[in-house]
Amino acid sequence: MQRFDNRRIIVTGAGSGIGAATVSRLLDEGGTVMGFDVNEQGLAATAAAAGDADNAKRLSTAVVDISSEEAVTRAVAETVAEFGGLDVLVNAAGIQRCAHTHEHTLADWNATLAINLTGTFLMTRQALPALLDSGRGVVVNFTSTAASFAHPYMAAYAASKGGVLSFTHSLAIEYAKQGLRAVNIQPGGVATALALGTLDKMPADYDLGLWAKQTPLLHGRDNEVLGDPSAVASVIAMVASDDGAFVTGTEIRIDGGAHA
């Protein structure tokens, strides 16, 4: 299935997890992809995987800090010039800091919002003119189940994802008449480095019982408790393609039934 033939795509957070899985899926479906990440080694691994799948010629990568307005402005402009336009933006980059809210440092709060929320805004703002010019532009943002359900010790992360949720709805209504679609993806219980390291970031006296509602009902590959990032990438591919042509201004939760 080649739903992304002749489609030009930017994916942030492309060096690991769902971002890397999304790059792989969109390349497999014929897309031309630019992957951004702050982790050069992660991007190299993503590029190596593309080479193994014989997709390397349609993948470019760049080290970009999406919380930097200057870096985003330059990187997106260069990508649009290289690709001759832009059809899809997937804002998958994110970080997570955990603490008791009364002990959460301002530095961690600001860093979380700078990447998860402001970074999403900066990428989207810079990409919008090219996305609108394409006539079929799509913005896929990540809100996490933390945007809608209680996640203890993660006030900054939840606040940042709640902001992305509202931001995406504003995009959807503001630009719908110009052909742009904007959709929120809400992953939960997915085996990424960010998710797998969550409990390691918890305060020493955290209450594991508060996480009772976070376990997926369905199992991932090989009967694993958590889902595989490729399961999220497949939904992104649907949403960003013409198969999702009537989908905008909404959330798609991918959590294996954890919040059913």
Side-chain angles (χ1 to χ4, degrees):
M1 189 182 303
Q2 298 297 302
R3 293 180 292 187
F4 292 91
D5 279 348
N6 302 315
R7 298 215 180 182
R8 302 147 298 182
I9 305 155
I10 292 176
V11 179
T12 71
S16 64
I18 295 170
T22 299
V23 170
S24 177
R25 179 60 182 256
L26 300 183
L27 287 171
D28 284 345
E29 293 202 29
T32 299
V33 181
M34 172 64 78
F36 292 166
D37 205 297
V38 293
N39 186 335
E40 188 172 4
Q41 290 183 327
L43 288 174
T46 299
D52 291 342
D54 199 27
N55 289 327
K57 63 181 179 297
R58 286 183 284 105
L59 174 65
S60 302
T61 63
V63 176
V64 179
D65 175 4
I66 64 164
S67 68
S68 165
E69 182 176 20
E70 180 181 359
V72 167
T73 299
R74 180 178 63 253
V76 173
E78 290 175 352
T79 300
V80 170
E82 177 183 341
F83 286 178
L86 188 66
D87 301 295
V88 179
L89 170 64
V90 181
N91 285 310
I95 65 168
Q96 182 190 76
R97 300 285 186 267
C98 303
H100 289 293
T101 302
H102 69 281
E103 296 174 343
H104 218 312
T105 68
L106 181 58
D108 278 350
W109 175 275
N110 286 341
T112 302
L113 267 66
I115 293 172
N116 296 359
L117 180 56
T118 303
T120 295
F121 159 71
L122 290 172
M123 284 295 307
T124 304
R125 184 188 66 178
Q126 190 64 25
L128 269 172
L131 291 170
L132 293 171
D133 283 346
S134 80
R136 58 182 182 183
V138 183
V139 177
V140 179
N141 287 334
F142 278 69
T143 65
S144 164
T145 53
S148 303
F149 302 92
H151 285 210
Y153 316 111
M154 296 168 60
Y157 185 76
S160 71
K161 294 302 186 177
V164 170
L165 187 151
S166 297
F167 172 65
T168 307
H169 279 257
S170 293
L171 285 174
I173 194 168
E174 183 175 350
Y175 296 102
K177 290 184 178 180
Q178 294 167 261
L180 184 88
R181 295 189 294 111
V183 181
N184 282 313
I185 298 295
Q186 288 190 323
V190 179
T192 65
L194 184 147
L196 292 172
T198 295
L199 294 184
D200 293 335
K201 305 168 196 167
M202 290 291 129
D205 60 344
Y206 79 95
D207 182 352
L208 184 60
L210 298 180
W211 290 93
K213 294 183 179 180
Q214 309 298 324
T215 303
L217 301 177
L218 300 176
H219 286 179
R221 291 180 174 177
D222 302 321
N223 209 36
E224 294 174 350
V225 173
L226 298 183
D228 191 84
S230 63
V232 182
S234 66
V235 177
I236 293 170
M238 181 279 292
V239 166
S241 74
D242 288 342
D243 286 341
F246 207 55
V247 180
T248 194
T250 191
E251 288 73 62
I252 301 179
R253 178 158 46 89
I254 311 164
D255 66 350
H259 298 90

